[in-house]
Amino acid sequence: MRADQDWAEETFGGASLGDRRRTRRLVRVARSFAERPSGRVTEVIHEPAAREAAFRFVENDAIDPQEIARAAQNAAARRCAGEDVVIVPMDESTLTLTDHTGAKGFGRTGTTAAGQWIERRGFQVMTAIAVSRSGVGQGIIGQDWWTRQAASPDWKRDRRPIEQRESVLWTRVMVAAARTLREHAPGARPWFQLDRGGDATHVLQLAADEGLLITVRAAHSRALAGGGYTARKVARQPVAGRYRLAVPARNGRRSRVATLSVRFAPVVLRLAHQCTGRATATKMFAVEVREISYSGASKPLHWRLLTSREVTCFADALVVIDAYTKRWRVEDLHRAWKTGTCNIERSQLRSAAAFRRWATIAAAVAARAEQLKTLSRAEPHRPALGIFSRAEIDATIVLSLTKAHRVGDDLSLEQAVFLVACVGGYIGKHARTKPGVLTISRGLDRVATGAAIFTALNR
């Protein structure tokens, strides 16, 4: 993409690392990472002196990885300036890393089907990203890490304070993301989108206490303050309407257009604190989405959403559902970060702290690649020049072997991204889906080399 230096400076130039020289090194490493994403330092940076400097940077214990993250999150929040509502998908993911001796400082991550721990090492990471109403990601605005030292008790019998449980990551990141937006994009209100893992009493209570907008997919039917349960109450409501939703291909499931029925109802939840037993009444709205007339191999869609956004009509329910469908953006980011664009799980760094510094830079790079993908879909007719340099567009035209364009032609963003993906191995018109972030990133890597040759020849 055009101006890797500009992006790196915008994203990490404000990092407070105790020495301006460290910040300049961070910017240079981020620029190299954006040009050649990979999980290993040796594959990102080829020049020996720069590679050695990058190793010294990530292994420097005086550099706080949270400061690296904070710089990127502040930059992402600034991109949201002027918005009234920002969709904030959140999810937890597991990073599984190589640590045969257990000496790198990683935590335990693996379980068997029977719930027994096995020797896998790594981190649990909670991530929140900012997404515009049109679905374009603006970057990571909250992230927190957790190191498991031992197997956690079953949640039904867990009497530890919330602060000692892994589930505290949900509220920690929500608070941090809301604060970051408040400081760097005043007026932009976050609307958190959580999967079933976020259906926890302390999460819903935080949203009520702080007046946060939140939508969470219910993991179970919750008790109501006046008696009864959410599932029964919303099931008794008449169907408010039906609509069609394009369901993308995922996990071996083919894409399809689903027909959904929608019900909704106001509910007053009885939230009982697990440790103290104290119960509070919290008003929310339940929206049930159920797929009808589906006979495929996978399960039909069925969501029961709890939201703090007022729902009084079918149109309101559609707004809630549309916002929740953007929750998958954070899963796409995790995939690009872990095993796709950045492939961070291939890292061979020798300590947990060094890995966190490297992985935090990689997360921003993965978010940038996802932004390019979603931007090309949301604004397909936008001129490519401005997102890509002239040399990159010309290199893309040459390397893609296209006959539809010549060197010097102006391309739309959709056309340019399509050709970049073809350079990266996308199979074009025979594919069932649009280019993904992996083929786009592979193409960008090859286009960067071609663009450097074009620039040198022009000089």
Side-chain angles (χ1 to χ4, degrees):
M1 286 176 67
R2 183 184 183 185
D4 289 315
Q5 175 65 42
D6 293 344
W7 169 81
E9 181 66 37
E10 178 214 358
T11 303
F12 294 109
S16 300
L17 304 180
D19 189 318
R20 188 61 190 171
R21 291 172 295 180
R22 294 173 183 166
T23 302
R24 288 197 294 268
R25 173 58 59 188
L26 170 60
V27 170
R28 286 194 288 269
V29 170
R31 179 180 60 183
S32 298
F33 214 141
E35 292 173 349
R36 289 180 294 275
S38 178
R40 298 181 179 179
V41 178
T42 54
E43 296 173 353
V44 170
I45 304 174
H46 297 161
E47 200 275 321
R51 184 191 306 153
E52 179 61 29
F55 274 118
R56 289 199 304 269
F57 178 87
V58 298
E59 292 172 354
N60 188 345
D61 289 336
I63 297 175
D64 186 353
Q66 291 185 352
E67 288 300 326
I68 299 175
R70 186 172 292 112
Q73 291 161 17
N74 292 346
R78 288 192 293 270
R79 298 184 195 111
C80 301
E83 300 285 342
D84 57 344
V85 173
V86 176
I87 308 299
V88 183
M90 289 179 57
D91 200 11
E92 184 177 0
S93 187
T94 301
L95 294 177
T96 303
L97 304 158
T98 302
D99 186 11
H100 298 301
T101 64
K104 294 184 178 181
F106 300 140
R108 307 173 74 180
T109 63
T111 60
T112 65
Q116 298 174 339
W117 285 90
I118 57 179
E119 288 306 317
R120 290 179 182 163
R121 314 292 295 183
F123 291 102
Q124 302 300 121
V125 184
M126 182 71 68
T127 306
I129 62 173
V131 178
S132 68
R133 287 184 180 273
S134 63
V136 178
Q138 303 301 323
I140 297 171
I141 59 168
Q143 192 170 67
D144 209 339
W145 297 59
W146 186 273
T147 305
R148 286 176 177 165
Q149 301 301 334
S152 301
D154 182 90
W155 68 272
K156 294 180 181 179
R157 295 186 294 272
D158 193 352
R159 294 296 181 266
R160 294 175 299 169
I162 292 298
E163 294 74 19
Q164 297 178 15
R165 303 189 204 178
E166 192 174 308
S167 60
V168 75
L169 291 177
W170 290 100
T171 50
R172 265 201 237 164
V173 173
M174 287 172 64
V175 170
R179 181 177 61 247
T180 300
L181 278 175
R182 187 166 56 249
E183 293 175 355
H184 297 277
R189 189 181 184 189
W191 187 358
F192 296 99
Q193 308 294 322
L194 283 60
D195 200 9
R196 286 176 290 192
D199 184 13
T201 296
H202 65 283
V203 175
L204 299 178
Q205 194 61 62
L206 173 73
D209 293 343
E210 301 294 328
L212 300 177
L213 272 179
I214 184 175
T215 297
V216 57
R217 183 180 176 187
H220 50 271
S221 183
R222 286 190 169 271
L224 300 178
Y229 294 88
T230 53
R232 294 178 182 176
K233 180 169 182 178
V234 74
R236 289 197 295 264
Q237 306 304 312
V239 173
R242 293 179 175 85
Y243 82 110
R244 295 165 69 83
L245 174 69
V247 181
R250 188 178 296 271
N251 299 327
R253 181 188 63 197
R254 298 180 63 177
S255 61
R256 67 183 189 277
V257 177
T259 301
L260 306 173
S261 65
V262 179
R263 292 178 169 87
F264 66 88
V267 294
V268 180
L269 305 180
R270 182 181 181 275
L271 299 180
H273 195 282
Q274 194 166 355
C275 294
T276 64
R278 181 176 60 89
T280 58
T282 301
K283 182 178 180 180
M284 298 191 76
F285 294 84
V287 177
E288 184 178 69
V289 181
R290 187 183 294 272
E291 187 172 4
I292 56 179
S293 302
Y294 176 63
S295 58
S298 59
K299 294 182 179 180
L301 292 179
H302 182 206
W303 304 335
R304 190 179 305 113
L305 308 177
L306 296 174
T307 182
S308 58
R309 188 193 188 280
E310 187 175 23
V311 180
T312 59
C313 62
F314 180 54
D316 290 341
L318 291 183
V319 172
V320 171
I321 297 167
D322 179 69
Y324 182 74
T325 61
K326 295 177 175 58
R327 194 197 63 79
W328 278 271
R329 296 286 188 269
V330 71
E331 292 187 7
D332 292 339
L333 170 69
H334 280 154
R335 189 177 300 109
W337 182 38
K338 293 165 54 177
T339 58
T341 302
C342 296
N343 215 351
I344 200 64
E345 291 186 326
R346 293 182 64 241
S347 171
Q348 298 293 317
L349 289 167
R350 293 174 291 184
S351 72
F355 173 79
R356 277 195 61 177
R357 297 182 191 98
W358 183 246
T360 300
I361 301 171
V365 173
R368 183 174 184 244
E370 282 291 325
Q371 182 184 31
L372 175 60
K373 180 188 77 174
T374 55
L375 186 62
S376 68
R377 298 177 183 182
E379 302 179 31
H381 302 297
R382 180 172 177 167
L385 193 61
I387 303 297
F388 296 91
S389 68
R390 182 71 259 172
E392 286 172 326
I393 294 175
D394 290 342
T396 299
I397 292 171
V398 172
L399 293 173
S400 66
L401 304 178
T402 180
K403 296 181 180 179
H405 306 284
R406 295 182 178 182
V407 170
D409 285 357
D410 292 328
L411 303 181
S412 69
L413 183 57
E414 182 181 43
Q415 290 171 328
V417 170
F418 174 81
L419 293 181
V420 167
C422 290
V423 175
Y426 178 61
I427 59 176
K429 64 181 181 181
H430 301 295
R432 294 180 179 275
T433 58
K434 293 184 178 181
V437 70
L438 184 57
T439 53
I440 292 172
S441 299
R442 287 174 182 163
L444 287 174
D445 187 8
R446 297 165 187 171
V447 165
T449 303
I453 295 174
F454 265 92
T455 302
L457 290 174
N458 288 335
R459 287 175 182 170

